[in-house]
Amino acid sequence: MSIGEAAHVFGALPGSARYRADMTDGARAEITNGIWLCRNCHKLIDNDALSYPADLLFSWRHEHENYVTEKLGNRTEVLRLQLRERSLEGLFDENPLAKQIAREKLNFWEYRLTAELLRSNFKRPSRRWSDLKSNLRVHKRTPVADKEIVRWFQVKLDECMDYMDPLKSLYSVQLQKAWGMPGEPGDAEEIAHVCQLICQLIGNISDELVRWEEEVRFAWISDTYRPLINLFQGVMGRQLEKLLAVPAILDGGIDQAEAHPGEETIIEHTVLFDLPEGWEEAIKDGLRKIEKQLK
């Protein structure tokens, strides 16, 4: 008689133990997020999530799977296990879910791994931007004299446009290389390297974007030019939000593919960095009016 039960590491429903709102239902349902326990232990870990965090449960699972392979597996299976662990040595040590994804390599694992690595590292820039939008951040006000106002707006406009090209290349080039060509498996180490690079770039860019937004929001200028300032607010944050949404889009694409097994699946998404319709024309028109007023 079996008394084993399939348990979730990260809970399946809101309010359940270790529930993560940033995971999709498909990601929660995968075997990667599961652990096989007896009924008593299942109840124990779900009744006391603080004493049994996800890191501990993944460690339980990993040690038990290794133990079973070493005791019951043949020589080839043991060697295969050792080679797998060696290939992941030093990778994803701070993210046990990512490490489990890389170990199991289920269908679409490259995309699931990328989503998890990016999501875990996007928390800081996402929080900074959320705080700024919610008016929870304070920045030193920078006075801008009337005679400098045209130049100040032009500099801000140039800075806004300068960010576009590097943002466009982040995902379309580097991630494609990490995932490998269609039909070929990706490389976990390369995915880890590229995701680390992307997260560093996103971190740097988000710092600059938030700085840009803060300087715009807290600029101390004449009320005459306030409508133009309002046009600038949120423009760069709009681009940042698109970058931060990529992990959820990846997971959603995988969920859709897994819902139709056996069918050819193409996961395609375009991150379009654009400006609000008519924005650039409105800015240029506003600058022309200011120049006329200052003459």
Side-chain angles (χ1 to χ4, degrees), residues 83-84 86-89 91-92 98 101-103 105 108-111 113-114 117 174-196:
L83 289 172
R84 184 192 70 180
R86 195 178 305 157
S87 70
L88 296 176
E89 190 173 338
L91 297 176
F92 321 121
I101 293 171
R103 284 192 182 109
K105 291 184 170 60
F108 312 110
W109 69 270
E110 299 95 335
Y111 308 102
L113 176 62
T114 301
L117 291 174
Q174 297 185 42
L175 275 182
Q176 292 294 333
K177 292 180 180 178
W179 291 334
M181 298 297 291
E184 298 179 359
D187 182 280
E189 184 175 1
E190 185 63 19
I191 290 174
H193 170 71
V194 173
C195 283
Q196 182 182 32

Side-chain angles (χ1 to χ4, degrees), residues 138-209:
V138 178
H139 188 272
K140 180 181 178 181
R141 289 194 175 273
T142 304
V144 182
D146 284 0
K147 64 179 181 180
E148 296 290 328
I149 195 66
V150 173
R151 179 179 175 277
W152 186 87
F153 275 118
Q154 288 175 337
V155 168
K156 289 299 161 195
L157 181 59
D158 290 342
E159 287 178 347
C160 181
M161 302 308 295
D162 286 345
Y163 287 128
M164 297 302 171
D165 287 339
L167 287 174
K168 290 176 183 178
S169 67
L170 280 173
Y171 293 100
S172 59
V173 177
Q174 297 185 42
L175 275 182
Q176 292 294 333
K177 292 180 180 178
W179 291 334
M181 298 297 291
E184 298 179 359
D187 182 280
E189 184 175 1
E190 185 63 19
I191 290 174
H193 170 71
V194 173
C195 283
Q196 182 182 32
L197 176 61
I198 288 176
C199 289
Q200 288 173 347
L201 290 172
I202 290 293
N204 293 337
I205 289 173
S206 70
D207 287 343
E208 289 300 306
L209 294 182

Side-chain angles (χ1 to χ4, degrees), residues 213-261:
E213 288 280 356
E214 286 177 337
E215 289 183 358
V216 168
R217 288 168 183 258
F218 294 101
W220 189 5
I221 66 174
S222 170
D223 289 342
T224 304
Y225 315 121
R226 183 55 56 180
L228 208 53
I229 280 286
N230 293 337
L231 285 173
F232 274 88
Q233 288 188 15
V235 167
M236 297 310 297
R238 172 190 175 106
Q239 318 311 325
L240 180 60
E241 288 176 348
K242 294 177 182 179
L243 292 172
L244 298 177
V246 167
I249 293 169
L250 279 175
D251 271 341
I254 299 167
D255 292 352
Q256 185 176 4
E258 291 179 339
H260 301 87

Side-chain angles (χ1 to χ4, degrees), residues 267-287:
I267 300 176
E268 184 176 4
H269 176 73
T270 300
V271 180
L272 180 63
F273 298 105
D274 59 353
L275 298 169
E277 185 176 354
W279 182 86
E280 194 169 355
E281 292 75 13
I283 290 294
K284 291 179 179 178
D285 183 59
L287 289 175

